[in-house]
Amino acid sequence: MIDLEKTAIEDTQKWLLEAVVGLNLCPFAKAVVVKDMVRYRVCESAELTDLLAMLREELQHLAEADPEKLDTTLLIAPNALPDFLDFNDFLADCDEVLMDLELDGVLQVADFHPRYQFGGTEVDDIENFTNRTPYPTLHLLREASIDKAVEAYPDASLIFERNIEVLNKLGHAGWANLGIQTRLRVSE
């Protein structure tokens, strides 16, 4: 029998190492990965109320944790929100939890999905892959860490454009060679 939590974490770590760090899609990620400052949590439930409850717990945990030991959390939801538009709508609920906890401006929730699609793009456009993960994933991060990273990387606004160039050079075949697979567990 497959251990879903273990598999989801391993798949996400592979994505983080091969794509995010390996392709330098986020120049700030390598330091926190190398220092083991990333927390991986898996919500195995398909129920959105369960995912929101776990999001609440993880936001509180991150807010209370020592920033020198824990910088970010990846909340992985392998059985929830297989449809990207539903996932995108769900982000409003995530923002409500953040505001309810009075952590808006302290923490933020970034989003990644196996079918991520930027507005104005086609489903298979390679630039969408900058935000594609094996599973629907909420990235919880500290605003202070973002501010610090932007200070250290003065052209942070150019990261997205650079990522598109990197992925255009890599192409779909190159992405496939990374071995990062979409692993949505819920049939649509």
Side-chain angles (χ1 to χ4, degrees), residues 75-130:
L75 177 53
I76 308 157
N79 291 319
L81 300 160
D83 181 82
F84 175 66
L85 294 177
D86 292 341
F87 176 78
N88 204 42
D89 290 344
F90 176 73
L91 298 174
D93 295 332
C94 296
D95 287 340
E96 284 182 30
V97 171
L98 193 65
M99 287 186 274
D100 183 53
L101 292 171
E102 298 180 356
L103 292 172
D104 188 40
V106 176
L107 301 178
Q108 70 174 245
V109 179
D111 55 300
F112 297 91
H113 192 275
R115 295 190 179 122
Y116 198 97
Q117 183 177 355
F118 290 104
T121 65
E122 297 297 320
V123 172
D124 290 328
D125 285 352
I126 195 70
E127 60 259 35
N128 294 318
F129 287 70
T130 62

Side-chain angles (χ1 to χ4, degrees), residues 124-145:
D124 290 328
D125 285 352
I126 195 70
E127 60 259 35
N128 294 318
F129 287 70
T130 62
N131 286 49
R132 288 197 178 173
T133 49
Y135 309 94
T137 301
L138 300 171
H139 179 197
L140 318 182
L141 60 163
R142 300 173 189 280
E143 294 272 350
S145 294

Side-chain angles (χ1 to χ4, degrees), residues 126 163-172 174:
I126 195 70
N163 288 348
I164 291 172
E165 287 178 30
V166 166
L167 288 178
N168 277 323
K169 286 180 187 173
L170 185 68
H172 290 283

